[in-house]
């Protein structure tokens, strides 16, 4: 660990454990220190690195301020060898930097509950939907897509009011400012540069145009023999589209790319249906935009799942239909990139400490596919080692296929506390 | 936790049901709290330790429970909500902090092991004795104490992974000291209850050893800080409450 990392981690650890000691029994904590080594056997045209080493320290604390009031907090400290993260000590709240921040407030919220009413205000995680692999209705869950296949959720700043009575729950969410998904860095392998472009075409980052207003949504959930929900969202896509502007600089053609986040309305539903031999989960959303540049489209997921002994099987299909084509075709949309796709996963628990799993996604036209095999083992009370290998194949024109140079192996060592 | 209880022969069955009803009556409390330490011993005698906190409100057939793991570190925060019903199988949801969402445990998945322990999800239910038919098989001495041996069969077999169970209930204090669970003729799990002590007037086994016969592994659950009739609110046993991590 280098001097900068130690310099950041020491005060963070000191604060965390001091808080823990001060608040005693009303305070609980957890977290981990993780080291991740990624190896890419193939070189990418815009990224000659074959290996990346990352370190992540995550600390989460929960303080019961009163019987009905709880304060939740979490902080991430990251460093990596591949400049995926910022190396300036700037605290991040909105997660709008291109790079991962050195120190990020992952969560900071107050949660109050009385009877069936719960109110949470602040930075938090909000998950909608029931499917496991793709969630069309999960509109308040932006992600860090720096490495597209291995992504992680980002918290959003919002007020969430939930009222639960018997088997019915109403969930209302409003956020003053959208947290957008973090997209791959332009000078790294998860941004695929078209190989057919002439040498004199230069791409330039034109920045991002963030929405000025807030977003919100409403969800009704019923729990019974069948579980189902209906949801409505009004706001913006947390995944960007791109507007381009051409200019000439000598013999070079300069393309300025500016990202923006189209307005979006979503009406969705999801359901979980337990049957005798397997469970069915279904989720669908219809997306409309007042922005003519964006598509109006629908997306759905249908999955079956079953546990047999130590095996867990999930298999399904994600589909999509476009109602109205938008005028813009350049966007970064992993959610749509995984549609028209067969999805599956299988997990086997070898024993209390060891498991293996396989996940796969194969496009219906066979233009792209991804498969990941993983082995994970716990050592004692605190350590876990995980090794996985992802193979990506396909055509350069396919969302998955374009990453065919990015098959990779990952070794992860995690100390949890 | 885990009350399994039947009758075929009218005369003996009446006796068996009375015994089980007395057992249930003697364990009826408004709520329960304990901190559990689990030692999972696999087929190669490797030991893994886990800890959870257990809260229950209500009793037999009308109770709700939440189990929250506190150790090992990486499963800290994982929680299971169980809503028991008098006339049907329980509803169960599991919360995993890493995905920030709860997942319903489907009925057909209840035979799977609960988070690497030898308890299945079904074993964690608290069932009402009316869900079973009983038959008195005889009397035996077990761990030095005289006990009734009773067969329990679920009234609707589809609700249970087990076709039937054998229970041993001590005659002196009506405490269940052993349960053998069967699939047809094969015994698949055996629970032994020991270290029986009285807490607030309730005879309680402070140690439960659950053995998975097929896997040759066992989990020893030891109860600590056990309390009955602790003030608890129904609203702390809902899906919203499950999401409130602590």
């Amino acid at each position: 660990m280098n001097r900068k990392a130690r310099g950041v981690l020491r005060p963070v650890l000191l604060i965390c454990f001091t808080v823990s000691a001060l608040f005693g029994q009303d305070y609980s904590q957890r977290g981990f220190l993780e080291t991740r080594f990624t190896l890419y056997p193939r070189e990418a045209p815009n990224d000659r690195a074959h290996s990346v080493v990352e370190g992540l320290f995550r600390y989460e604390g929960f303080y019961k301020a009163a019987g009905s009031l709880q304060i939740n907090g979490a902080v991430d400290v990251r460093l990596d060898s591949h400049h995926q993260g910022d190396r300036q000590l700037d605290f991040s709240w909105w997660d709008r930097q291109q790079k991962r921040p050195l120190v990020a407030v992952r969560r900071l919220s107050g949660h109050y509950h009385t009877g069936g009413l719960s109110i949470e205000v602040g930075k938090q995680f909000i998950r909608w939907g029931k499917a496991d692999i793709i969630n069309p209705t999960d509109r308040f869950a932006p992600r860090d897509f720096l490495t597209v296949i291995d992504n992680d959720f980002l918290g959003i700043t919002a007020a969430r009011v939930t009222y639960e009575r018997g088997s019915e729950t109403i969930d209302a969410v409003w956020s003053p400012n959208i947290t957008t998904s973090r997209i791959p860095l332009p000078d790294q392998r998860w941004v695929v540069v078209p190989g057919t472009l002439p040498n004199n075409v230069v791409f330039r980052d034109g920045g991002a145009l963030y929405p000025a207003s807030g977003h919100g949504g409403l969800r009704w959930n019923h729990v019974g023999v069948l579980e189902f929900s209906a949801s409505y969202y009004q706001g913006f896509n947390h995944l960007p589209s791109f507007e381009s502007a051409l200019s000439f600089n000598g013999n070079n053609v300069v393309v300025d790319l500016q990202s923006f986040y189209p307005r979006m309305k979503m009406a969705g539903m999801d359901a979980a249906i337990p049957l005798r031999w397997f469970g069915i989960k279904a989720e669908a959303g219809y997306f409309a935009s007042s922005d003519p540049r964006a598509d109006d489209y629908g997306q759905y997921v249908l999955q079956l799942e079953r546990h047999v002994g130590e095996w867990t099987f999930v298999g399904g299909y994600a589909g999509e239909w476009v109602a109205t084509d938008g005028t813009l075709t350049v966007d970064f949309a992993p959610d749509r990139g995984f549609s028209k796709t067969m999805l599956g996963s299988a997990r086997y628990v070898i024993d209390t400490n060891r498991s293996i799993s396989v996940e796969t996604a194969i496009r219906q036209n066979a233009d792209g596919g991804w498969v990941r095999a993983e082995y994970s083992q716990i050592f004692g009370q605190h350590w876990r080692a995980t090794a996985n290998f992802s193979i990506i194949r396909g055509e350069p024109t396919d969302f998955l296929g374009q990453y065919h140079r990015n098959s990779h192996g990952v070794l992860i060592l995690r100390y949890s506390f | 936790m885990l009350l399994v209880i039947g009758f075929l022969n009218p005369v003996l069955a009446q006796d068996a049901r009375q015994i089980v009803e007395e057992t249930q009556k003697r364990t009826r409390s408004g709520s329960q709290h304990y901190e559990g330490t689990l030692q999972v011993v696999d087929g190669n005698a490797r030991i893994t330790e886990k800890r959870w906190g257990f809260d229950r409100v209500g009793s037999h057939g009308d109770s709700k429970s939440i189990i929250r793991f506190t150790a090992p570190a990486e499963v800290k925060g994982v929680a299971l909500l169980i809503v028991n019903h008098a006339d049907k199988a329980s509803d169960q949801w599991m919360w995993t902090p890493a995905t920030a969402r709860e997942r319903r445990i489907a009925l057909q998945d209840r035979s799977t092991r609960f988070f690497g322990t030898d308890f299945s999800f079904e074993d964690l239910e608290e069932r009402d004795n009316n869900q079973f038919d009983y038959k008195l098989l005889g009397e035996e001495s077990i761990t030095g104490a005289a006990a009734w041996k009773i067969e329990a069969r679920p009234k609707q077999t589809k609700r249970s992974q087990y076709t039937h169970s054998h229970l041993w209930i001590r005659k002196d204090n009506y405490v269940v000291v052993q349960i053998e669970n069967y699939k047809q003729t094969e015994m698949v799990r055996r629970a032994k209850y020991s270290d029986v002590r009285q807490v607030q007037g309730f005879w309680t086994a402070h140690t439960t050893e659950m053995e998975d016969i097929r896997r040759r592994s066992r989990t020893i659950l030891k109860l600590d800080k056990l309390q009955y009739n602790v003030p608890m609110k129904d609203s702390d046993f809902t899906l919203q409450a499950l999401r409130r991590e602590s």
Side-chain angles (χ1 to χ4, degrees):
Chain A
M1 193 177 284
N2 68 27
R3 284 175 59 189
K4 179 166 270 182
R6 284 199 298 268
V8 172
L9 266 178
R10 274 180 189 156
V12 170
L13 284 168
L14 189 66
I15 291 167
C16 296
F17 293 114
T18 304
V19 166
S20 167
L22 278 176
F23 293 116
Q25 280 196 333
D26 294 326
Y27 189 82
S28 62
Q29 60 182 350
R30 63 166 179 255
F32 60 82
L33 180 62
E34 181 182 283
T35 305
R36 178 182 291 248
F37 174 71
T38 308
L39 180 71
Y40 296 96
R42 293 185 67 182
E43 204 167 89
N46 60 334
D47 191 345
R48 304 186 70 179
H50 285 278
S51 61
V52 179
V53 181
E54 298 162 84
L56 167 63
F57 171 72
R58 177 168 297 165
Y59 178 87
E60 297 175 90
F62 308 92
Y63 173 56
K64 278 188 179 155
S68 299
L69 180 65
Q70 181 168 302
I71 309 295
N72 309 305
V75 66
D76 279 359
V77 181
R78 293 173 184 272
L79 272 175
D80 72 278
S81 66
H82 199 45
H83 295 273
Q84 293 175 335
D86 247 326
R87 297 186 179 180
Q88 302 302 315
L89 184 54
D90 294 326
F91 278 90
S92 167
W93 181 269
W94 294 104
D95 279 310
R96 282 185 170 175
Q97 300 93 324
Q98 267 195 327
K99 294 184 173 186
R100 290 171 179 149
L102 178 64
V103 180
V105 176
R106 183 173 162 82
R107 185 178 183 186
L108 186 58
S109 68
H111 186 284
Y112 175 80
H113 67 96
T114 177
L117 181 70
S118 297
I119 302 169
E120 186 163 4
V121 179
K123 198 165 186 183
Q124 56 187 297
F125 291 87
I126 298 172
R127 302 290 317 278
W128 281 5
K130 292 191 176 67
D132 292 319
I133 307 171
I134 293 177
N135 296 103
T137 66
D138 204 10
R139 300 318 309 170
F140 297 103
R143 299 189 194 201
D144 179 324
F145 283 110
L146 240 54
T147 50
V148 177
I149 304 295
D150 307 311
N151 51 64
D152 192 12
F153 290 101
L154 300 172
I156 69 160
T157 302
R160 182 183 197 184
V161 179
T162 309
Y163 184 70
E164 184 174 6
R165 186 170 182 173
S167 54
E168 316 300 325
T169 306
I170 298 286
D171 192 5
V173 178
W174 180 77
S175 167
N177 215 349
I178 188 167
T179 298
T180 55
S181 284
R182 181 170 288 122
I183 63 172
L185 297 167
D187 59 348
Q188 297 198 1
R189 62 173 60 238
W190 292 95
V191 167
V192 178
V193 179
T196 53
L197 281 177
N199 287 335
N200 64 336
V201 176
V202 178
F203 286 95
R204 233 168 31 184
D205 180 13
L209 201 60
Y210 291 107
S213 56
H215 60 135
L218 205 60
R219 183 173 188 248
W220 162 66
N221 187 55
H222 170 83
V223 173
V225 178
L226 306 180
E227 244 183 87
F228 51 87
S229 303
S231 52
Y232 176 75
Y233 169 82
Q234 186 166 337
F236 304 88
N237 195 345
H238 57 74
L239 293 162
S241 295
F242 298 93
E243 188 101 71
S244 59
L246 289 179
S247 60
F248 297 92
N249 183 4
N251 288 334
N252 288 337
V253 179
V254 180
V255 185
D256 284 297
L257 282 173
Q258 186 181 49
S259 59
F260 68 100
Y261 299 86
R263 283 191 177 278
M264 172 185 276
K265 288 180 182 175
M266 187 266 320
M269 59 182 297
D270 53 78
I273 307 160
L275 299 177
R276 187 175 175 86
W277 297 107
F278 49 80
I280 298 179
K281 284 181 180 170
E283 192 169 332
Y286 181 75
F287 304 86
S289 181
S290 58
D291 190 327
R293 295 171 294 181
D295 293 348
D296 290 347
Y297 66 100
Q299 197 176 33
Y300 60 92
V301 181
L302 188 68
Q303 72 175 57
L304 308 180
E305 59 181 53
R306 171 79 174 142
H307 294 262
V308 182
E310 302 305 319
W311 285 96
T312 305
F313 299 98
V314 178
Y317 177 76
E320 180 192 87
W321 78 96
V322 176
T324 311
D325 276 317
T327 57
L328 209 70
T329 54
V330 182
D331 56 16
F332 174 73
D335 52 348
R336 298 182 68 182
F338 271 94
S339 57
K340 296 183 179 172
T341 302
M342 307 293 294
L343 306 153
S345 70
R347 184 167 183 263
Y348 178 69
V349 178
I350 302 167
D351 57 33
T352 309
N353 294 328
R354 297 176 298 161
S355 66
I356 51 170
S357 63
V358 177
E359 278 181 276
T360 187
I362 298 168
R363 303 302 293 269
Q364 67 182 34
N365 57 9
D367 277 356
W370 158 75
V371 61
R372 172 163 56 199
E374 183 170 286
Y375 173 81
S376 194
Q377 181 166 352
I378 298 171
F379 299 92
Q381 287 286 299
H382 298 281
W383 292 94
R384 177 184 282 278
T386 303
N388 68 52
F389 197 85
S390 294
I391 298 170
I392 307 168
R393 288 284 180 270
E395 302 297 321
T397 51
D398 181 78
F399 176 80
L400 279 170
Q402 68 178 320
Y403 299 119
H404 61 94
R405 291 190 183 90
N406 292 354
S407 295
H408 60 279
V410 183
L411 277 173
I412 305 163
L413 190 62
R414 177 183 284 198
Y415 176 85
S416 301
F417 58 88
Chain B
M1 191 194 302
L2 194 80
L3 270 188
V4 196
I5 335 255
F7 58 95
L8 290 178
N9 179 310
V11 179
L12 284 176
Q14 183 61 32
D15 292 342
R17 177 165 291 280
Q18 280 173 352
I19 294 163
V20 173
E21 280 177 354
E22 182 61 25
T23 298
Q24 186 163 305
K25 191 177 134 195
R26 289 179 182 222
T27 54
R28 188 175 295 280
S29 63
S31 66
Q32 183 188 21
H33 168 83
Y34 71 77
E35 288 171 22
T37 303
L38 300 106
Q39 280 193 325
V40 184
V41 186
D42 71 11
N44 298 315
R46 279 186 302 236
I47 299 173
T48 308
E49 196 167 295
K50 298 172 192 277
R51 285 199 297 275
W52 71 36
F54 175 90
D55 287 303
R56 166 179 60 77
V57 69
S59 194
H60 304 293
D62 185 27
S63 65
K64 296 171 185 171
S65 313
I66 284 190
I67 291 171
R68 285 189 197 277
F69 276 100
T70 54
E74 71 158 21
V75 298
K76 207 187 272 186
V78 171
L80 181 75
L81 169 67
I82 307 167
V83 179
N84 295 296
H85 305 287
D87 54 346
K88 57 181 182 181
S90 65
D91 292 315
Q92 299 186 355
W93 290 268
M94 191 155 74
W95 166 263
T96 39
T99 57
R101 67 199 310 196
E102 72 280 350
R103 183 174 72 85
R104 190 177 186 145
I105 308 298
L107 209 53
Q108 72 272 12
D109 300 335
R110 302 278 168 89
S111 60
T112 53
R113 300 196 305 152
F114 175 57
F115 241 82
T117 70
D118 291 291
F119 294 95
S120 69
F121 284 93
E122 184 186 346
D123 296 328
L124 300 167
E125 291 179 346
E126 188 182 53
R127 291 196 175 190
D128 187 75
N129 61 12
N130 291 322
Q131 293 184 327
F132 298 86
D133 293 325
Y134 305 104
K135 181 182 174 185
L136 186 60
L137 298 177
E139 295 177 11
E140 288 181 3
S141 173
I142 186 161
T143 59
W148 290 291
K149 184 180 179 184
I150 292 170
E151 181 187 86
R153 286 184 183 271
K155 283 184 174 170
Q156 295 181 35
T157 49
K158 69 174 183 177
R159 287 181 184 166
S160 177
Q161 65 185 298
Y162 308 122
T163 52
H164 65 284
S165 304
H166 291 164
L167 292 77
W168 282 260
I169 298 174
R170 262 171 67 164
K171 296 173 84 170
D172 57 347
N173 55 13
Y174 285 83
V175 169
V176 178
V177 285
Q178 182 167 299
I179 301 175
E180 292 176 350
N181 295 305
Y182 290 82
K183 284 184 179 173
Q184 309 304 335
T185 56
E186 183 192 7
M187 180 169 62
V188 290
R189 276 196 183 87
R190 175 170 48 210
K192 291 178 181 170
Y193 301 88
S194 58
D195 189 14
V196 179
R197 283 179 269 148
Q198 215 171 24
V199 176
Q200 294 172 253
F202 298 96
W203 284 103
T204 312
H206 283 64
T207 301
T208 302
E209 182 179 321
M210 180 62 90
E211 192 178 353
D212 187 325
I213 309 297
R214 289 168 171 173
R215 293 177 64 89
R216 295 182 298 113
S217 65
R218 60 201 165 95
T219 297
I220 301 155
L221 167 65
K222 293 193 173 182
L223 275 51
D224 191 24
K225 297 181 183 170
L226 174 66
Q227 284 179 283
Y228 289 101
N229 296 322
V230 184
M232 290 184 192
K233 290 182 285 187
D234 253 9
S235 59
D236 288 333
F237 295 84
T238 61
L239 284 173
Q240 292 307 309
L242 187 68
R243 292 178 195 132
R244 287 198 296 265
E245 298 175 47
S246 56

